Amino acid sequence: MVTCDFTMDVENNNNTRFPELEPAKSAEKRKNNGTTDVAPSESKRLKGNDVKVDVPPRPPPQSPKKRIYLNGANQTNKSKHDKNLNFVYGNYKHYYGKRILDKDFHDIRLDVLATQPDLLRDKQVLDIGCNSGHLSIQIARQFQVKTLVGMDIDQGLVKAAQSTIYNLKRQMNSGPGFPHNLRFLQGNYVLEDDVLLEIERPQFDVILCLSVTKWIHLNFGDAGLKQAFRRMFLQLRPGGKLVLEPQAFDGYKRRKKLSEQIRENYNNIKFRPEHFTEYLLGPEVGFASMDLMGIPEHCEAGFKRPIEIFTKPTGSKESNTNCD
Amino acid sequence: MVKNKQNSKKFGMHLRNVLRQAPDYTKLAIKYKDFRNVCSLELNGKVSVNFRNERTLRELTKMLLTEYFDLNVDFAPGSLVPTLALRLNYILWIEDLLESFKLDQIKGIDIGCGSSCIYSLLGAKKNNWKMLALESKPENIEYARENVKRNHLEDLVEVFAQPDNTCIFKSYFEQDTKEQMYHFCLCNPPFFDSNSPNPFGANTRNPERRPAPNNARTGSQEELTCAGGEVQFVQRIVDESLENKLCVRIFTSMLGVKANVPRILEYLKEKGLTNVSTTEFHQGHTTRWAVAWSFYTETPLSQGTSSN
């Protein structure tokens, strides 16, 4: 059974697809289709394993009745609208399988992060939009963070992340340190109302916001994204760092049909990605500086997003925090 | 008591208690700034409340009174911060006791109204009851009167300054020329015995099954303790009720300790009172009890325990 998710192909900004996933023109190619199942080989994807990272078990084969709701090759009458609704938050199920294009199954962004090993070492880290946690787990292990909290809006993905950690814990000795210093939780990073920012408090040294801004922007508009930026600032300790990998605006357009709300938000966007840095460094947020960390090299053009570091002033007077 | 879906009817709050459904603290924190400032924000965007902090409790009760009853109440610093759920349970029980009489204008006495005057304010605002609020501590009297005024309830609530705290209604009825009749009296007595070597010592038999209340304790010495504790205090109410049998139709008082309920029932029996009823108030981890007695035979109170 093919579990490839065709919506994922569109995530690659260019139009080339995996050769194996070209629509089957012959019986032979169709056979190849079957072998590009992502799940079985996922366990090899993460580089530099001392320990085999167990991936959450594949879901059991679906009954024919349930197959209608699967995203995949075997759909007939499923409307495009329904298919896309499942991932309005970019909460793709096999995201890391698709994203990791390196033949060694290595997430390119780790190379960029590795250029500054002290950035994350021994720090308390928050990963916003962690999906199934694969990158978060790699980061936590490779860079020896003190603690890492991963947050995602999708409960299913969070459960998958928790499951991975559980399996790791069973394989490894008991704490402290990896993997006992990781936790995942479900939630929307965007708050119900801006006034709640008044009671937000510094609690992290580093916040990772990797390939998430597009989804916050499309689902919660300019206001939601600006609030999220302000929240990130408030949650950082003085001298803390935001590691930001924003998506470019031209990638938004193809997602605007995901829902009515998204379409409306898209049409109302005035706060473009080109303005993010200015806003983050400005008076409404207050980061002191922005440094370009790097741009992943050997990957599809669609994923060549700059990774930027914003640093919070040290010893600054918090204007919006309750420092009890 | 471990509460679950099956027994929440028996061990939950009164069915008409507006707090039976836990409030959405996140929405309330968005709405009320003072309350917001005593809350914590979780990563997932929900607001949490630390009930073990006195300042938090004060802001919480103030906010709930505003949100659910449009009452604007101030508490004297260091004075008892009432928990709204329990106060409501008591008021609702009294409503039930009086229900069958189909009275037009209900009048009640609040014995020891405190700085908040909360029972009287709730009774007046919610039910249009006319309340006589008795209080002996000068600072509390001042705050109580301010609270009545601020909420424009002077027509319904009278705060009477008790000259001393040894008597209950005596001084009031002695000076009351109009010979008024009241339908009920209610009371939150000082639970603890100031004469005891360890007044606040918990005497629960089984701490694991009965966890401590979630709230921080608030209140001044006089509000929390008196000579002989709640037993003696309620016995005094009983004694004075015997002298003013017809002034109040239904006498009630709360009791904080379960073991004291049979003691009071014994005392009532000794005094020849048979028209008696008891009840329980459940809110969170805390259970309180109340006793009611009446000299009016036309006001039959069912014998034995009832739970709301």
Side-chain angles (χ1 to χ4, degrees):
Chain A
M1 181 191 72
V2 178
T3 56
C4 293
D5 184 357
F6 281 97
T7 58
M8 269 313 307
D9 289 327
V10 195
E11 180 62 21
N12 301 343
N13 220 338
N14 51 28
N15 291 321
T16 58
R17 294 167 150 202
F18 286 112
E20 313 88 83
L21 292 174
E22 286 293 296
K25 293 215 167 78
S26 69
E28 202 194 342
K29 279 206 179 158
R30 198 172 285 132
K31 208 177 7 160
N32 282 342
N33 235 340
T35 59
T36 50
D37 249 349
V38 168
S41 47
E42 248 180 60
S43 56
K44 295 184 197 154
R45 299 266 161 154
L46 302 173
K47 197 180 181 183
N49 284 355
D50 321 318
V51 174
K52 177 168 181 280
V53 177
D54 269 355
V55 148
R58 285 177 59 188
Q62 302 277 359
S63 69
K65 202 178 6 166
K66 287 189 187 169
R67 199 172 289 147
I68 308 171
Y69 300 105
L70 258 187
N71 289 312
N74 298 333
Q75 296 180 37
T76 45
N77 294 323
K78 190 158 174 69
S79 75
K80 200 171 173 203
H81 173 72
D82 283 336
K83 182 165 77 171
N84 288 335
L85 254 186
N86 286 337
F87 303 119
V88 291
Y89 300 113
N91 47 328
Y92 303 113
K93 276 213 185 81
H94 300 294
Y95 181 68
Y96 287 107
K98 293 293 176 174
R99 206 186 206 272
I100 296 162
L101 303 176
D102 183 297
K103 63 175 162 63
D104 294 321
F105 311 114
H106 169 70
D107 193 315
I108 288 301
R109 294 174 288 183
L110 289 168
D111 294 339
V112 177
L113 291 174
T115 60
Q116 294 186 38
D118 289 335
L119 173 69
L120 292 157
R121 188 194 319 278
D122 210 31
K123 300 290 196 296
Q124 294 186 291
V125 182
L126 170 70
D127 185 6
I128 301 173
C130 63
N131 195 277
S132 58
H134 278 84
L135 184 61
S136 329
I137 292 168
Q138 264 306 93
I139 287 174
R141 196 229 316 273
Q142 184 173 336
F143 301 111
Q144 296 164 310
V145 303
K146 190 168 180 188
T147 56
L148 187 144
V149 179
M151 203 170 140
D152 201 278
I153 202 168
D154 184 314
Q155 179 73 281
L157 291 171
V158 170
K159 280 208 163 102
Q162 287 166 337
S163 181
T164 305
I165 290 296
Y166 176 73
N167 289 330
L168 276 175
K169 283 181 184 172
R170 287 176 64 201
Q171 291 170 23
M172 296 174 72
N173 296 325
S174 57
F178 185 86
H180 305 277
N181 54 353
L182 277 115
R183 110 182 136 95
F184 292 98
L185 71 127
Q186 185 275 334
N188 187 351
Y189 193 72
V190 177
L191 301 166
E192 266 179 64
D193 193 296
D194 284 14
V195 297
L196 290 176
L197 290 174
E198 288 171 23
I199 56 172
E200 187 56 90
R201 282 162 309 163
Q203 49 197 289
F204 296 108
D205 302 309
V206 180
I207 294 182
L208 305 172
C209 180
L210 309 176
S211 288
V212 178
T213 51
K214 173 171 81 179
W215 300 107
I216 297 179
H217 214 166
L218 285 171
N219 280 283
F220 306 106
D222 286 352
L225 183 57
K226 285 183 172 175
Q227 190 219 84
F229 282 153
R230 289 169 63 198
R231 192 180 181 200
M232 289 173 216
F233 180 84
L234 292 170
Q235 287 192 319
L236 283 169
R237 301 201 172 100
K241 295 182 194 276
L242 164 64
V243 181
L244 185 68
E245 183 200 14
Q247 293 101 325
F249 188 67
D250 55 14
Y252 286 34
K253 190 166 179 183
R254 78 172 72 85
R255 298 295 171 203
K256 74 174 179 185
K257 293 187 218 152
L258 280 175
S259 76
E260 270 314 300
Q261 185 64 65
I262 286 182
R263 183 197 301 272
E264 199 182 313
N265 291 338
Y266 175 81
N267 290 332
N268 289 330
I269 287 180
K270 295 187 173 55
F271 178 51
R272 297 263 193 130
E274 307 88 85
H275 305 140
F276 288 177
T277 300
E278 186 191 333
Y279 182 72
L280 286 160
L281 297 176
E284 276 185 56
V285 183
F287 281 101
S289 60
M290 187 282 268
D291 299 289
L292 178 65
M293 199 181 186
I295 304 178
E297 284 290 299
H298 306 292
C299 61
E300 296 287 338
F303 286 130
K304 274 208 174 91
R305 298 165 183 157
I307 298 180
E308 301 159 336
I309 301 181
F310 290 84
T311 306
K312 181 164 178 169
T314 49
S316 67
K317 181 170 184 289
E318 309 283 351
S319 52
N320 276 335
T321 12
N322 197 0
C323 291
D324 275 352
Chain B
M1 162 51 69
V2 175
K3 221 164 50 185
N4 50 42
K5 268 209 175 94
Q6 286 75 41
N7 64 17
S8 76
K9 189 156 188 231
K10 189 161 180 246
F11 295 110
M13 296 186 198
H14 192 287
L15 289 173
R16 297 197 306 276
N17 194 324
V18 72
L19 296 179
R20 202 179 153 85
Q21 182 84 298
D24 182 342
Y25 290 120
T26 305
K27 290 204 156 41
L28 291 168
I30 291 170
K31 193 170 170 185
Y32 296 99
K33 190 179 169 80
D34 286 341
F35 175 60
R36 179 159 72 237
N37 286 333
V38 299
C39 290
S40 299
L41 184 63
E42 307 282 293
L43 265 181
N44 63 1
K46 298 268 167 278
V47 153
S48 69
V49 181
N50 177 14
F51 298 107
R52 294 197 187 270
N53 178 295
E54 185 181 330
R55 185 180 156 221
T56 304
L57 280 185
R58 189 169 306 131
E59 293 303 328
L60 172 67
T61 302
K62 280 179 75 164
M63 180 277 290
L64 292 174
L65 283 168
T66 305
E67 170 72 7
Y68 291 106
F69 296 99
D70 200 19
L71 283 170
N72 183 354
V73 177
D74 222 357
F75 305 104
S79 75
L80 184 71
V81 176
T83 51
L84 187 55
L86 171 59
R87 303 308 185 269
L88 280 173
N89 276 339
Y90 197 161
I91 298 265
L92 291 164
W93 176 57
I94 299 208
E95 284 176 23
D96 290 345
L97 289 174
L98 298 172
E99 158 88 47
S100 49
F101 306 135
K102 310 273 184 263
L103 299 158
D104 279 328
Q105 173 66 80
I106 294 180
K107 290 162 58 180
I109 305 179
D110 179 356
I111 301 171
C113 66
S115 70
S116 66
C117 204
I118 188 169
Y119 284 115
S120 301
L121 293 178
L122 281 171
K125 187 83 186 208
K126 181 182 189 284
N127 298 326
N128 254 311
W129 290 346
K130 254 180 133 89
M131 297 296 298
L132 169 67
L134 306 173
E135 175 58 44
S136 62
K137 190 169 180 219
E139 191 189 27
N140 285 350
I141 294 168
E142 203 180 301
Y143 268 81
R145 288 196 170 131
E146 263 305 305
N147 280 324
V148 173
K149 193 164 155 198
R150 193 182 306 111
N151 291 285
H152 313 293
L153 291 168
E154 298 101 314
D155 289 341
L156 289 172
V157 180
E158 180 197 341
V159 181
F160 178 79
Q162 289 270 81
D164 67 273
N165 59 5
T166 54
C167 67
I168 310 288
F169 337 92
K170 203 150 64 167
S171 7
Y172 179 80
F173 284 131
E174 271 169 11
Q175 57 84 60
D176 172 34
T177 49
K178 281 177 274 176
E179 287 266 337
Q180 303 196 60
M181 200 279 253
Y182 293 85
H183 299 103
F184 72 90
C185 73
L186 56 75
C187 180
N188 240 78
F191 289 166
F192 305 104
D193 184 358
S194 50
N195 288 337
S196 147
N198 183 15
F200 301 115
N203 57 0
T204 176
R205 269 183 291 179
N206 195 342
E208 290 101 58
R209 271 201 71 204
R210 188 174 286 284
N214 275 330
N215 297 349
R217 183 187 293 122
T218 62
S220 64
Q221 200 73 347
E222 303 109 302
E223 290 171 311
L224 294 176
T225 69
C226 67
E230 62 180 6
V231 173
Q232 271 200 37
F233 196 94
V234 177
Q235 283 172 344
R236 261 186 283 149
I237 304 182
V238 176
D239 291 340
E240 287 197 24
S241 75
L242 288 161
E243 293 163 25
N244 299 289
K245 288 184 191 180
L246 302 178
C247 292
V248 178
R249 201 147 170 184
I250 305 179
F251 294 90
T252 75
S253 177
M254 191 193 294
L255 288 164
V257 175
K258 186 172 186 177
N260 292 337
V261 177
R263 291 171 72 178
I264 296 297
L265 289 176
E266 260 306 304
Y267 194 75
L268 288 165
K269 201 166 158 195
E270 270 175 46
K271 301 291 175 182
L273 278 154
T274 50
N275 195 5
V276 165
S277 172
T278 63
T279 191
E280 287 184 14
F281 303 132
H282 302 281
Q283 45 289 312
H285 289 167
T286 309
T287 305
R288 300 293 181 211
W289 293 263
V291 188
W293 64 98
S294 177
F295 298 94
Y296 284 70
T297 44
E298 313 91 65
T299 307
L301 305 165
S302 50
Q303 185 69 272
T305 312
S306 75
S307 287
N308 54 345

